[in-house]
Amino acid sequence: MAKEAAAAKAASNEYVTLTDHSTGESYDMPLMPGSVGPKVIDVRPLYSQTGHFTYDPGFTSTGACESKLTYIDGEAGILMHRGYSIEDLAEHSDFMEVCYLLLEGELPTAAEKAEFEDTITHHTMIHEQLQYLYRGFRRDAHPMAIMVGVVGALSAFYHDSTDIADPVQRMIASHRLVAKMPTIAAMAYKFSTGQPFIYPRNDLKYAENFLYMMFAVPCEEYKVDPILARAMDRIFILHADHEQNASTSTVRTAGSSGANPFACIAAGISSLWGPAHGGANEAVLAMLNEIGSPDRVAECVERAKDKDDPFRLMGFGHRVYKNYDPRAKVLQSSAYEVLNSLGVHDDPLLKIAMELERIALEDDYFVERKLFPNVDFYSGIILKAMGFPTSMFTVLFALARTVGWIAQWKEMIEDPSQKITRPRQLYTGPTSREYVPVDKRG
Ligand code: SDX
């Protein structure tokens, strides 16, 4: 530990000095620069030098790792993957190319992309036995509960790709997860409807294949609308990775103990499910339906500001973005495109969302707290128009984020300075006391 910090200090001729006024001691902590963004104060030697811990519940000011995958500038509303802006990737790239970029570090050549897509395509089927796992769930089980169970179960099926010390097996596990999530997700939906599972097809592209598995039935030909396939692919791109968010940090923490990669992704799915995180897209639709009409928006905005009222504007606010979430901007324009292509004009939910955004962005409470629409604010409107039930919204988020989770997991495993995640605490419980036998207790 100390040698790493000493190396960091030697590498960085900048440092901050911490003075402990209770002892008069001062300590120099190295200031480590990234390629862009805030520098970090390397506090690895802090406890050994001072006997003190840092205190940062929720990690609002803590860098938990070094990463080369995704950069966010929350003040400026910037999101980049391996240096490429999310706007450029959403406009010019596709999800398979973004998956390659996150996993390999560079945009693929045409040949590399074709080989990657072929690899993913040939991993889309799941073990035939896994379908029986679905029967253990009630038909009305939330599909995220099914995703946690089935993805966790993959850890029992692929022992040939779970030796995390083998880079080849790490990449096979990554390919398997990216490839199988659409199949598992579509099966969760089909199970809830009582319709038969639809097998993946090797002649379809990733997003098209997913929509086919979701909405085809065995009794007739089903052609995926190319506009919806493109919209689905773009939604996947926008959800692919997002720095050290709660679910990614969960995957990194689970993986830091050397756990099975499939089990680590199941842990990430669990964390994403929460309404403060990926579950917000489902909660936004519930909120818009609860508001019911544009003329009730002002009343709900007041409720969201009332500390005594648990009501919050779902899809608003973000730990990092103190500006408009760039993904929300792309989704807002996508919403119009998809609704128009579906012939849905004057969508009532979109009208409520636009009015909600207009009022909130003019309101001092939201302006002072820099609360803007986030990725979840518009996504649900598009997904509903595409025919997805709200219970599937967070499943789609998990499907897309799997590549980010597993790329972050790979980066953590391949980081030579990687250690098991084991934070400390500020203990405020009872100090040492004698045990009292039950017959002596008051
Ligand atoms: C995602 O981290 C990521 O990158 C996540 C994500 C990703 O791609 O992985 O971007 C995906 O999870 C997006 C966020 C989806 N969640 C929601 O939309 C749920 C609603 N938003 C909030 O619950 C909240 O904004 C969070 C959880 C997103 C962020 O919370 P923080 O950073 O802990 O901020 P906070 O709760 O301390 O809020 C700061 C202030 C508070 O008021 P004060 O105590 O200062 O008076 O802003 C208020 C909050 O009460 N506030 C809101 C609000 N969000 C924050 N008030 C009303 N409505 C809201 N939505």
Side-chain angles (χ1 to χ4, degrees):
M1 173 91 71
K3 67 179 185 314
E4 284 153 351
K9 190 169 178 178
S12 150
N13 54 11
E14 294 182 294
Y15 55 89
V16 295
T17 300
L18 191 64
T19 299
D20 180 347
H21 289 280
S22 64
T23 63
E25 294 285 322
S26 290
Y27 308 90
D28 292 343
M29 299 281 154
L31 204 48
M32 291 163 60
S35 40
V36 63
K39 296 177 182 172
V40 296
I41 301 170
D42 186 348
V43 293
R44 283 176 289 186
L46 184 76
Y47 179 58
S48 60
Q49 288 183 6
T50 70
H52 303 318
F53 296 140
T54 60
Y55 185 64
D56 186 14
F59 303 134
T60 53
S61 301
T62 294
C65 63
E66 178 181 338
S67 179
K68 296 174 169 47
L69 282 163
T70 292
Y71 173 70
I72 301 172
D73 179 334
E75 299 304 326
I78 289 171
L79 168 57
M80 297 191 296
H81 294 312
R82 304 278 199 185
Y84 296 97
S85 77
I86 194 61
E87 292 86 351
D88 275 354
L89 293 172
E91 178 68 30
H92 305 298
S93 188
D94 62 35
F95 185 61
M96 282 293 96
E97 193 172 75
V98 171
C99 289
Y100 185 96
L101 175 65
L102 287 169
L103 289 169
E104 302 283 357
E106 298 296 335
L107 289 172
T109 62
E112 287 166 337
K113 184 179 176 187
E115 184 188 0
F116 180 75
E117 284 198 278
D118 187 62
T119 300
I120 297 298
T121 296
H122 289 89
H123 277 298
T124 49
M125 279 210 304
I126 62 172
H127 192 293
E128 192 66 1
Q129 250 179 261
L130 263 170
Q131 66 173 294
Y132 303 118
L133 198 62
Y134 287 77
R135 293 181 188 170
F137 291 94
R138 288 167 45 130
R139 289 282 177 180
D140 62 356
H142 194 291
M144 280 298 277
I146 297 176
M147 294 300 287
V148 171
V150 176
V151 173
L154 294 178
S155 53
F157 281 80
Y158 294 106
H159 292 290
D160 63 338
S161 62
T162 53
D163 173 3
I164 60 174
D166 177 353
V168 172
Q169 290 193 39
R170 289 200 294 270
M171 194 54 95
I172 293 173
S174 306
H175 292 160
R176 280 180 160 143
L177 279 156
V178 170
K180 296 179 193 307
M181 284 300 274
T183 309
I184 293 168
M187 288 172 72
Y189 171 66
K190 285 300 192 189
F191 177 75
S192 71
T193 63
Q195 288 184 353
F197 298 138
I198 299 293
Y199 284 90
R201 280 176 39 182
N202 291 351
D203 61 328
L204 299 182
K205 294 282 187 191
Y206 191 88
E208 191 184 6
N209 207 2
F210 171 62
L211 292 175
Y212 173 76
M213 289 188 283
M214 275 290 301
F215 298 120
V217 287
C219 355
E220 58 189 26
E221 195 62 29
Y222 182 80
K223 185 92 183 70
V224 174
D225 178 337
I227 293 174
L228 299 190
R230 174 65 188 137
M232 189 80 267
D233 190 271
R234 181 176 291 157
I235 288 170
F236 290 162
I237 291 173
L238 295 170
H239 288 80
D241 190 48
H242 211 243
E243 203 207 64
Q244 305 310 318
N245 58 86
S247 53
T248 296
S249 301
T250 302
V251 171
R252 278 181 171 259
T253 295
S256 72
S257 71
N260 177 297
F262 299 96
C264 294
I265 298 302
I269 294 171
S270 305
S271 171
L272 184 75
W273 193 0
H277 191 10
N281 55 15
E282 181 176 347
V284 165
L285 254 286
M287 173 188 73
L288 294 176
N289 282 312
E290 185 187 341
I291 292 173
S293 70
D295 53 26
R296 286 201 56 229
V297 164
E299 166 202 332
C300 290
V301 167
E302 289 311 308
R303 283 187 57 200
K305 294 154 54 177
D306 178 357
K307 293 297 170 207
D308 299 324
D309 188 331
F311 180 84
R312 278 198 162 186
L313 288 191
M314 302 314 281
F316 256 79
H318 198 278
R319 171 61 58 76
V320 176
Y321 288 122
K322 301 309 170 191
N323 199 324
Y324 215 106
D325 183 334
R327 302 167 296 176
K329 279 212 170 73
V330 177
L331 283 166
Q332 188 187 54
S333 59
S334 264
Y336 282 112
E337 193 181 306
V338 169
L339 292 172
N340 288 339
S341 76
L342 292 171
V344 178
H345 304 298
D346 294 335
D347 178 83
L349 293 179
L350 183 58
K351 287 172 76 173
I352 296 170
M354 299 298 287
E355 178 65 359
L356 186 53
E357 179 183 341
R358 184 188 68 79
I359 292 180
L361 295 188
E362 290 169 356
D363 186 293
D364 288 347
Y365 174 94
F366 293 89
V367 173
E368 282 157 17
R369 292 168 178 79
K370 299 183 178 178
L371 301 175
F372 290 86
N374 60 49
V375 66
D376 294 306
F377 190 63
Y378 286 105
S379 56
I381 292 169
I382 303 176
L383 296 175
K384 177 178 180 294
M386 292 173 74
F388 291 100
T390 49
S391 61
M392 281 295 289
F393 290 2
T394 311
V395 171
L396 301 180
F397 195 147
L399 186 167
R401 183 56 55 89
T402 293
V403 66
W405 286 330
I406 201 67
Q408 297 267 357
W409 169 83
K410 247 167 96 320
E411 184 177 63
M412 181 267 303
I413 296 289
E414 292 160 8
D415 179 347
S417 68
Q418 184 266 329
K419 293 181 179 305
I420 189 166
T421 300
R422 205 292 185 204
R424 301 302 303 273
Q425 63 180 11
L426 173 68
Y427 178 71
T428 55
T431 52
S432 177
R433 51 183 171 164
E434 292 297 315
Y435 179 79
V436 177
V438 66
D439 56 356
K440 298 270 187 309
R441 292 172 207 158

